[in-house]
Amino acid sequence: MRADRLVSLVLLLRRHGRLPAATLARELEVSTRTVLRDIEALSAAGVPVYAERGRHGGFALLPGFRTELTGLNHEEALALLVAGTRRGAQVFGLGSALASAMLKVVDALPENYRTTASEAAQRLLIDPETDLLARRVGDDDVPDAVVTEVRRAVFAGHKLRIHYAAVDQAPQWRTVDPIGLVTVRGQGYLLATRSGADRTYRLSRLLAAEELHETAQRPDRVDLHSAWQERSTRFRVGGNQVTVLVQVDPARRDELVSTALTVRSEETGTDGKLRLEVTFQDFRHAEWALWQLAPDAEALAPQSLRIRLHNRAAAIATRYGGSTT
């Protein structure tokens, strides 16, 4: 534990420069006396840490001091290398920066960790492009120039002008106040406000973006996790939702639930089949979801959905019912 604390102390000084003992103690969650003992231990080990007295004094490292990441154990080093394979950086246009950073991390690792962690990382595959059925995993393809402008505006706190193509609408220019970026299963989203109202934009639908010099109207701090949860909830309860009564084979129950927005009720019939009342975003969503489960699921209501599924099945039957010779 002390070795980890010593490395943390060095990293704090490298990141913040001069820090008083009280601040170091608070950050490390130890006493001031323990910090002083740790400073002595670092000096004895050859780390160039020195004290500056006075009102604004504290402890600091000599400029240019560099250290290996000796506080990392093997599992931590492996975690860093695996993190470099995640797709979030690609979605946000940080792939090349991540690759460069990972090279620096690997270079800073102690030699024994560098070899074993690199070899171990080759034994792990994170987020492959296809699943077991050879279905391609959906990844957003966003031009670097576009996502770079978005990212700059988010970090700088500037307004952003975007050319956005919403579903079933002609592309339009709009100016927004960017709040943050979120990636979910390889798909990126911009959380923003427009005229004070919450807006969520799919990055792959951005045709162009321009960072403006005007300061964005947004809070200084944001909880992106909570913001995303709130918007997800509003999405699930809004729109032209449709409630469907479905009879489904118990073996396919989880597939049905995974595609629905919510499950309102569920019971088991005398025939052993499940009856669920579920909601979908709209009729197109419901038709698609139930078609995937045929013949193991039946829409009992509403009648309009049954008609849509019947017409679809009839069209398929007509196409394949005749002879091809």
Side-chain angles (χ1 to χ4, degrees):
M1 286 296 295
R2 190 190 186 196
D4 290 342
R5 191 174 69 244
L6 291 176
V7 172
S8 296
L9 194 159
V10 171
L11 293 178
L12 281 171
L13 293 178
R14 287 186 60 184
R15 187 182 310 125
H16 299 289
R18 184 175 60 252
L19 288 174
T23 300
L24 290 170
R26 183 172 62 254
E27 292 290 334
L28 298 172
E29 298 182 347
V30 296
S31 66
T32 302
R33 181 175 297 180
T34 298
V35 168
L36 296 178
R37 285 200 298 264
D38 288 348
I39 292 294
E40 292 180 0
L42 289 174
S43 296
V47 176
V49 58
Y50 65 96
E52 290 188 357
R53 301 187 182 278
R55 180 180 177 184
H56 300 291
F59 294 99
L61 296 168
L62 288 178
F65 173 71
R66 179 179 181 275
T67 181
E68 288 186 333
L69 298 178
T70 51
L72 290 176
N73 58 38
H74 178 265
E75 295 296 318
E76 291 168 337
L78 179 59
L80 281 175
L81 295 181
V82 170
T85 68
R86 303 300 291 184
R87 292 185 174 179
Q90 299 296 339
V91 173
F92 297 145
L94 292 170
S96 60
L98 177 62
S100 175
M102 294 311 301
L103 287 175
K104 294 177 181 178
V105 168
V106 172
D107 180 66
L109 289 174
E111 180 62 31
N112 57 327
Y113 284 171
R114 185 187 314 163
T115 302
T116 56
S118 296
E119 291 177 352
Q122 297 176 18
R123 307 290 177 175
L124 302 174
L125 176 62
I126 310 298
D127 289 344
E129 292 186 355
T130 59
D131 63 14
L132 287 176
L133 298 179
R135 295 176 299 198
R136 187 171 180 83
V137 178
D139 253 6
D140 279 347
D141 184 15
V142 188
D144 288 344
V146 173
V147 75
T148 297
E149 287 293 304
V150 174
R151 192 175 66 244
R152 286 174 177 171
V154 170
F155 293 161
H158 290 163
K159 287 184 178 293
L160 180 68
R161 187 167 178 259
I162 58 175
H163 195 207
Y164 190 71
V167 178
D168 299 327
Q169 295 182 23
Q172 294 181 0
W173 283 97
R174 58 200 74 185
T175 300
V176 302
D177 297 299
I179 293 175
L181 292 165
V182 176
T183 177
V184 181
R185 298 187 182 93
Q187 297 174 350
Y189 299 88
L190 167 67
L191 273 57
T193 61
R194 186 182 177 202
S195 300
D198 289 344
R199 293 289 185 268
T200 303
Y201 300 101
R202 179 83 172 266
L203 291 184
S204 61
R205 295 185 182 134
L206 289 178
L207 304 180
E210 178 187 1
E211 177 193 3
L212 304 179
H213 296 297
E214 185 179 353
T215 301
Q217 300 300 311
R218 67 181 191 180
D220 293 334
R221 300 183 63 84
V222 63
D223 183 346
L224 273 186
H225 179 76
S226 297
W228 178 254
Q229 292 298 321
E230 291 173 4
R231 297 183 187 209
S232 297
T233 300
R234 288 201 297 269
F235 175 80
R236 288 194 299 269
V237 301
N240 301 315
Q241 289 190 5
V242 57
T243 300
V244 181
L245 180 61
V246 183
Q247 181 172 274
V248 63
D249 187 312
R252 308 294 298 276
R253 185 260 182 198
D254 289 346
E255 292 178 64
L256 172 65
V257 171
S258 68
T259 59
L261 295 180
T262 58
V263 178
R264 293 190 171 186
S265 65
E266 181 176 347
E267 61 181 18
T268 303
T270 55
D271 57 358
K273 292 188 176 180
L274 298 176
R275 285 196 174 194
L276 290 84
E277 189 177 39
V278 296
T279 58
F280 294 98
Q281 190 64 36
D282 50 31
F283 274 102
R284 186 171 63 175
H285 180 198
E287 181 182 345
W288 171 86
L290 292 176
W291 187 260
Q292 312 307 307
L293 300 176
D296 296 322
E298 179 185 357
L300 303 179
Q303 182 64 21
S304 56
L305 178 59
R306 291 178 59 87
I307 292 173
R308 292 170 70 114
L309 289 167
H310 173 271
N311 292 340
R312 186 170 186 172
I316 294 294
T318 299
R319 174 170 297 178
Y320 293 103
S323 175
T324 58
T325 59

